[in-house]
């Protein structure tokens, strides 16, 4: 099984009460839809800065949160995520394959 880093983009955070309720709903969805594929439910994140050793850093990319899952293929990941509640809120989900090195 391969691991995939799922990042969430494009959804401004609501107030803390709404965020807490959404995370509860996301967790319930993840447990039902992802089951054993979920490696790390993840968390909301915010940009806390950048570092670069050669010149200015690249422009920051806004990431609202992450999840790590295992699947056999990108197609399987897409099938697992097709009804993700974040998409219904108007956000974008990015799928990143993790390589073993």
């Amino acid at each position: 099984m391969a691991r995939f880093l799922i990042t969430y983009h494009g959804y401004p955070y609501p107030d803390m009460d709404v965020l807490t309720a959404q995370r509860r709903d996301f967790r319930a969805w993840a447990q039902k839809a992802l089951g054993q594929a979920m490696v790390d439910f993840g968390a909301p994140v915010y940009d806390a800065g950048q570092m670069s050793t050669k010149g200015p850093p690249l422009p920051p990319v806004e990431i609202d949160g992450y999840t790590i899952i295992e699947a056999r293929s990108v197609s399987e990941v897409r099938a697992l995520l097709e009804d993700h509640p974040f998409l219904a809120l108007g956000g974008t989900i990015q799928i990143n394959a993790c390589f073993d090195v």
Side-chain angles (χ1 to χ4, degrees), residues 40-86:
D40 181 349
F41 177 71
V45 298
Y46 65 93
D47 182 3
Q50 292 182 308
M51 296 173 60
S52 176
T53 60
K54 296 186 181 202
L58 295 172
V61 174
E62 190 65 39
I63 299 173
D64 298 322
Y66 75 95
T67 300
I68 299 173
I69 65 173
E70 287 184 332
R72 287 183 282 282
S73 67
V74 174
S75 297
E76 184 178 336
V77 173
R78 288 180 178 277
L80 288 168
L81 299 176
E82 69 185 357
D83 65 343
H84 195 297
F86 192 79

Side-chain angles (χ1 to χ4, degrees), residues 20-45:
T20 300
Q22 285 176 347
R23 271 189 60 80
R24 186 176 47 247
D25 293 345
F26 286 4
R27 187 173 292 279
W29 171 86
Q31 289 171 341
K32 180 180 175 189
L34 301 178
Q36 295 298 323
M38 186 171 50
V39 175
D40 181 349
F41 177 71
V45 298

